[in-house]
Amino acid sequence: MRSIWNGAVSFGLVSIPIKLVNATESHTVSFRQIHTEDGGRIRYRKVCELEDREVTQAEIGKAYEDADGTIIPITDEDLAHLPLPTAKTIDIVAFVPADRIDPLQMENAYYLAASGAPAAKPYTLLREALKRSRKVAIAKFALRGRERLGMLRVVDDVIAMHGLLWPDEIRVPQGVAPDVDVTVRDKELDLADALMDTLGEVDIQDLHDEYREALEEVIAAKAAGEAPPEAPEPAPGGKVLDLMAALEKSVRAAKRSRGEEVGEEAGEPAEETEETEEAEVRHLPRGKRAGAAAKKTTAGKQAPAAKKTAAKKTTAAAKKSTSKAQSSRSAKKAASTAKSTAKKTPAKKTASRKRTA
């Protein structure tokens, strides 16, 4: 990796020659400005306003514009002789626990590479000291024309440095929080906790830029003379959601995405509608949305057949029940007739005997 700054880390009386390299890279898709009528590139030319002519990069320098418009030229030599000990040195000023650093302060990240064999021993010493203390080093350094604040920590076997904003560069979040009184119930917090537990942790390596991927698909389609992929329908907005119902559905959707069986632990489930099912599908990671949508389509196709089968079963059961009822009534009627006949027979025999006597 190409170094962007050469200097040393000052660790008390120990000096560690190092090279500073960028620890991150951008994968953002860049666009060019064009003339929409003919597709020609729009370019900017650097023109001197006094001579009204384009100038080369070698003719361009730096200057500070005063409040009254006065231009004060500043040369690279002027900057090289700044009366700062941090001009070529990352000066460690303190060691503090990592949780003392507010993530709001963090800016760009860099790797510190040991510069040459003599730097290996002090570099390793500082790295191991940071590991054992479980602290981070706070340092001051100068880069790109200004003094900055930095935080040194260990990443694997390398010392990394995060640029930090100065404390007075962090805005106070005044007027940002909701200005209305809101009461959050324990049950709502329980559901929020359940959702957090269900979503669980994630391997950051599995996350990727879906926007960039979709943009690359559009560019590839346009380059091949094909129609770009259609955008999915936007989520319905402007609706007031029931917070409890939304939390319950979110828990169920998260469990489905993890392949877990969905019970009713989160409370009595609200009636499932097409909109809530679509919302649960949108809640899934992009890679699982297609499968969920396919299942939904298959279920939609199978539903009419399932209804017909259920109706046939219901009709057959009804007929069977009716037949049993009729058989039962016939049996009762036959039994009643037989009983009546049995009673009349003895009476006839008694009458016959009296007439004989």
Side-chain angles (χ1 to χ4, degrees):
M1 290 183 282
R2 186 176 63 87
S3 64
I4 61 172
W5 185 90
N6 294 331
V9 174
S10 175
F11 177 32
L13 297 178
V14 178
S15 181
I16 310 171
I18 58 99
K19 295 180 180 180
L20 197 67
V21 298
N22 284 317
T24 61
E25 59 185 2
S26 175
H27 292 160
T28 302
V29 177
S30 300
F31 292 105
R32 301 292 187 186
Q33 291 185 328
I34 62 168
H35 187 198
T36 55
E37 291 186 5
D38 55 21
R41 285 278 306 276
I42 302 298
R43 299 181 182 273
Y44 292 96
R45 292 183 170 85
K46 297 180 180 180
V47 177
C48 174
E49 63 179 16
L50 296 180
E51 299 182 13
D52 194 22
R53 69 174 182 88
E54 186 175 356
V55 295
T56 63
Q57 185 63 37
E59 299 176 273
I60 299 174
K62 301 180 182 69
Y64 175 79
E65 184 175 2
D66 209 348
D68 60 0
T70 303
I71 298 297
I72 304 172
I74 302 292
T75 65
D76 291 338
E77 187 178 354
D78 295 331
L79 296 177
H81 291 84
L82 285 174
L84 283 176
T86 56
K88 283 292 181 181
T89 304
I90 298 174
D91 187 18
I92 295 177
V93 296
F95 293 88
V96 300
D99 58 7
R100 288 267 301 275
I101 305 302
D102 190 335
L104 282 174
Q105 287 185 258
M106 292 188 182
E107 287 192 303
N108 297 334
Y110 309 93
Y111 289 137
L112 305 185
S115 182
K121 181 66 179 287
Y123 183 98
T124 304
L125 172 65
L126 176 58
R127 183 190 67 198
E128 295 304 314
L130 288 171
K131 281 184 180 180
R132 192 168 71 172
S133 68
R134 297 183 180 179
K135 293 183 178 181
V136 297
I138 303 301
K140 296 170 70 176
F141 66 103
L143 182 65
R144 298 191 178 103
R146 68 185 183 95
E147 188 175 55
R148 300 166 183 249
L149 199 60
M151 178 189 75
L152 277 64
R153 68 185 184 96
V154 178
V155 177
D156 295 333
D157 287 331
V158 176
I159 299 175
M161 181 172 70
H162 296 269
L164 299 179
L165 296 172
W166 296 98
D168 60 359
E169 293 179 309
I170 304 297
R171 291 182 174 180
V172 177
Q174 187 173 1
V176 178
D179 59 354
V180 295
D181 293 332
V182 177
T183 301
V184 178
R185 294 177 293 171
D186 289 340
K187 188 174 182 180
E188 293 169 335
L189 283 173
D190 293 340
L191 281 171
D193 289 341
L195 177 58
M196 293 167 64
D197 292 339
T198 304
L199 291 175
E201 299 182 358
V202 65
D203 186 350
I204 299 297
Q205 300 297 327
D206 294 336
L207 301 180
H208 53 278
D209 188 347
E210 296 183 8
Y211 178 86
R212 177 172 58 86
E213 292 176 356
L215 185 58
E216 289 173 346
E217 290 178 8
V218 171
I219 294 172
K222 297 277 284 185
E226 302 172 355
E230 293 185 3
E233 294 184 4
K239 294 184 179 180
V240 178
L241 298 177
D242 183 298
L243 182 58
M244 290 291 291
L247 286 169
E248 290 169 359
K249 289 174 175 39
S250 297
V251 171
R252 289 198 294 274
K255 286 185 176 181
R256 289 194 189 104
S257 70
R258 294 163 64 94
E260 298 179 11
E261 293 185 3
V262 180
E264 298 184 4
E265 307 87 359
E268 187 68 23
E271 182 182 356
E272 295 288 343
T273 64
E274 185 175 351
E275 288 184 359
T276 56
E277 289 176 0
E278 291 178 355
E280 291 180 358
V281 170
R282 285 195 301 274
H283 178 78
L284 299 177
R286 186 184 183 192
K288 298 182 180 179
R289 291 178 196 166
K295 288 181 181 178
K296 184 180 174 184
T297 302
T298 304
K301 291 180 179 178
Q302 293 175 349
K307 288 181 179 178
K308 289 181 181 179
T309 303
K312 287 180 180 178
K313 290 182 179 179
T314 304
T315 303
K319 286 181 178 180
K320 189 174 181 181
S321 177
T322 303
S323 178
K324 285 184 178 180
Q326 289 176 348
S327 299
S328 178
R329 284 197 295 270
S330 298
K332 287 181 179 179
K333 187 175 181 180
S336 178
T337 302
K339 187 176 181 181
S340 176
T341 303
K343 287 181 178 180
K344 289 178 180 180
T345 301
K348 287 181 179 180
K349 289 181 178 179
T350 302
S352 177
R353 287 173 184 164
K354 286 181 179 181
R355 283 196 300 269
T356 304

